[in-house]
Amino acid sequence: MQPNLEQTTNTILHWVKSSTEDIHLKLAEIAIENCLVKVHSKSYPINDIVKAENLVIGAILLRQIELDEIGKDEVKKRMNEQNYVDSVHRMD
């Protein structure tokens, strides 16, 4: 079964959120065209596709700024700290 537009968008956003390298962000950009546009353009109104594209592009740009400003090592460190906090909350 094919994921719907929201599921696809959320998956790509998850990829962006977990990106620690520029290449990951480039792959997310490719996913916009291949996964959002090509797959869902026949099933959803163009306005919905454009909103999803803009959401992902915005997330990519913010992540790129974060990687450039604080550095890849700091991003990885913060991600590891957040994963630890998340896992502790799941155990509660």
Side-chain angles (χ1 to χ4, degrees):
M1 183 172 162
Q2 178 178 315
N4 64 33
L5 179 62
E6 183 179 358
Q7 292 168 325
T8 302
T9 303
N10 287 338
T11 299
I12 298 170
L13 288 172
H14 176 75
W15 295 343
V16 172
K17 181 180 178 185
S18 61
S19 295
T20 57
E21 301 290 334
D22 295 337
I23 188 67
H24 299 150
L25 298 177
K26 295 293 181 203
L27 293 172
E29 290 176 18
I30 293 168
I32 292 171
E33 181 65 28
N34 291 338
C35 299
L36 288 178
V37 177
K38 289 182 181 176
V39 172
H40 294 298
S41 62
K42 294 179 181 142
S43 306
Y44 290 89
I46 190 67
N47 288 344
D48 292 348
I49 302 291
V50 170
K51 286 178 188 176
E53 283 181 288
N54 289 338
L55 186 64
V56 173
I57 290 168
I60 290 170
L61 292 173
L62 288 172
R63 187 54 150 193
Q64 187 63 59
I65 290 168
E66 187 176 37
L67 288 171
D68 292 345
E69 292 293 317
I70 65 173
K72 295 173 185 173
D73 291 336
E74 184 64 23
V75 168
K76 289 177 185 177
K77 179 182 167 192
R78 289 180 184 187
M79 287 174 57
N80 288 337
E81 290 170 355
Q82 186 61 47
N83 288 338
Y84 174 76
V85 168
D86 291 347
S87 66
V88 168
H89 285 289
R90 280 193 296 267
M91 290 188 321
D92 286 346

